[in-house]
Amino acid sequence: MTERPKIRVLLIDNHPLVLDGLKAVLETFDHIEVAGTAGLAQTGLDIARQIQPQVVLMDINMPKLSGIDAIELFRNEFPETRVVMLSMHDSREYISSSVMHGAAGYVLKDVSTDEIVAAIETVADGGTYFSSGVFDALMGERAEEGSDPLTPREHDILGLIVAGRSNREIAEVLGISSATAETHRKNLKKKLRIATTAGLIRYALDHGIASSVGGNPRLPTSG
């Protein structure tokens, strides 16, 4: 089996103990390279210009420049870099705001190291990642009955999109063709009047929609 190329990661957190601990743990994985660390989001941007990270793992509550405000700055300057928010907050407001600013994932600080690594791998492969605790919190805040116009199949499709699945993977899970999966994706955007995948994800988060088929949102999307 071909060895996976190293994933260059930039860690940003204003708590030195968290930063040092996370760096030490991630460096035990051969395929992850912690290429830089920063205690401020602005400092992280400066470091990113030098190291060109593939993944930025960043705290939300940062002094001077918040993590959420920094997402857009990273996305504008480094469009190929994927940003994952690392937070103790599981509120829908924080999560939705992160997604709309361009975050590729949202992970709670109390998850296992394996889950943080899975998030890094997933977003590096082009997927999205939301930790199990995030889904648990959102599922407890469903919209009122009747406010959601989607069919059960559309719920399945949208849940898999939120889980970061490609059209090919959605097709495999649901037993349909990739072309049909792509059509479902386009129809969802048209029906909900949403132009982007980020918009679809926010809709799903606002309505507590997670995948119920093949539906572990923590699964990587590689392969």
Side-chain angles (χ1 to χ4, degrees):
M1 185 170 62
T2 304
E3 184 178 346
R4 183 184 181 119
K6 282 185 178 288
I7 303 171
R8 264 185 335 280
V9 178
L10 171 61
L11 304 178
I12 306 176
D13 196 301
N14 64 309
H15 297 95
L17 286 176
V18 173
L19 199 61
D20 293 344
L22 191 54
K23 180 176 185 289
V25 169
L26 291 178
E27 285 182 335
T28 65
F29 292 82
D30 292 338
H31 66 297
I32 294 178
E33 174 192 358
V34 180
T37 63
L40 295 172
Q42 186 59 58
T43 305
L45 283 162
D46 295 337
I47 293 174
R49 295 184 184 105
Q50 303 171 31
I51 66 174
Q52 298 292 314
Q54 294 164 268
V55 177
V56 173
L57 193 60
M58 179 166 55
D59 191 10
I60 277 190
N61 291 330
M62 305 283 290
K64 298 184 179 179
L65 177 64
S66 76
I68 289 178
D69 289 336
I71 298 170
E72 245 179 313
L73 298 179
F74 273 102
R75 298 294 296 135
N76 289 339
E77 190 166 349
F78 313 102
E80 300 302 317
T81 296
R82 310 279 284 169
V83 179
V84 176
M85 304 312 293
L86 184 65
S87 176
M88 67 179 67
H89 301 288
D90 60 5
S91 74
R92 186 167 60 191
E93 179 182 355
Y94 275 113
I95 300 163
S96 295
S97 183
S98 295
V99 170
M100 292 310 295
H101 279 75
Y106 195 104
V107 177
L108 299 180
K109 283 190 172 182
D110 60 358
V111 302
S112 67
T113 300
D114 286 343
E115 191 161 354
I116 293 175
V117 170
I120 292 171
E121 292 172 344
T122 300
V123 301
D125 288 338
T128 56
Y129 190 102
F130 298 90
S131 68
S132 52
V134 170
F135 275 95
D136 293 342
L138 293 172
M139 292 301 283
E141 300 182 25
R142 283 187 177 277
E144 293 181 4
E145 191 70 26
S147 64
D148 181 10
L150 301 184
T151 66
R153 173 46 63 97
E154 288 169 336
H155 271 249
D156 291 341
I157 296 287
L158 184 54
L160 289 166
I161 289 172
V162 173
R165 303 300 183 91
S166 66
N167 288 331
R168 176 179 60 80
E169 290 168 326
I170 291 172
E172 290 175 355
V173 171
L174 298 180
I176 58 179
S177 69
S178 294
T180 299
E182 173 63 16
T183 298
H184 278 303
R185 189 186 291 257
K186 289 179 179 178
N187 288 343
L188 273 172
K189 290 179 179 178
K190 183 176 180 180
K191 185 173 188 177
L192 298 174
R193 298 182 181 179
I194 293 172
T196 65
T197 297
L200 288 178
I201 292 172
R202 178 168 183 174
Y203 178 91
L205 296 177
D206 285 345
H207 291 77
I209 298 172
S211 178
S212 60
V213 287
N216 187 341
R218 295 171 289 172
L219 287 176
T221 58
S222 59

